[in-house]
Amino acid sequence: MNSVQIDNPDELIFKLGLSWYENGVKLEKVRFLINKDIQIEDLEKELSIKEKGVKLLKNRGKNILKILMFLLEPKSMGKLMEKMQFSSRSSLRDDYVKPLRDNGLINLTIPNKPHDPNQKYVISEKGKMFLGGFGL
């Protein structure tokens, strides 16, 4: 794997955002969204990483990243709902969890028993590649 040196944090955020978008459009029903009209100069004007993220990522993109980051350790649907502040289990499941599972970005911890009461979700290697901005 080739190593790329990026010294400017704004450039890193910008390149990651573009990579997430490019990879996201290849995935069925994931719909990772960014503000496609933004330029790196727009990010350089913002003060904090959070402000840069708000400017670059649309809510759906932010939610996908939060879920993938949270699932670096296995978590139940209840813990995921709590962390993401979703009140509707079906909305979280249908809008995020199912598309992320169907595209191999997250896995079940007990794949042979999807309805097991001890079931948890965890990020997959493909999900980690997505987070890191690598091609899928």
Side-chain angles (χ1 to χ4, degrees), residues 43-101:
L43 289 182
E44 291 171 341
K45 297 174 191 171
E46 302 302 320
L47 300 174
S48 72
I49 295 286
K50 182 177 181 180
E51 290 169 326
K52 292 173 196 298
V54 166
K55 192 166 200 104
L56 179 64
L57 302 174
K58 296 198 175 184
N59 280 338
R60 182 166 182 82
K62 287 185 270 191
N63 284 340
I64 289 169
L65 291 179
K66 284 181 193 177
I67 290 169
L68 292 174
M69 294 289 289
F70 187 60
L71 294 180
L72 287 169
E73 296 290 328
K75 300 290 185 296
S76 67
M77 179 63 89
K79 289 287 182 189
L80 189 55
M81 283 180 60
E82 180 182 313
K83 180 69 172 181
M84 296 300 297
Q85 299 178 340
F86 268 70
S87 57
S88 168
R89 178 181 292 266
S90 62
S91 177
L92 177 61
R93 181 190 61 234
D94 296 343
D95 292 343
Y96 293 98
V97 173
K98 186 169 179 358
L100 291 173
R101 273 192 62 215

Side-chain angles (χ1 to χ4, degrees), residues 104-118:
L105 298 178
I106 63 175
N107 294 322
L108 296 173
T109 57
I110 311 169
N112 297 333
K113 298 180 181 179
H115 301 292
D116 189 295
N118 296 313

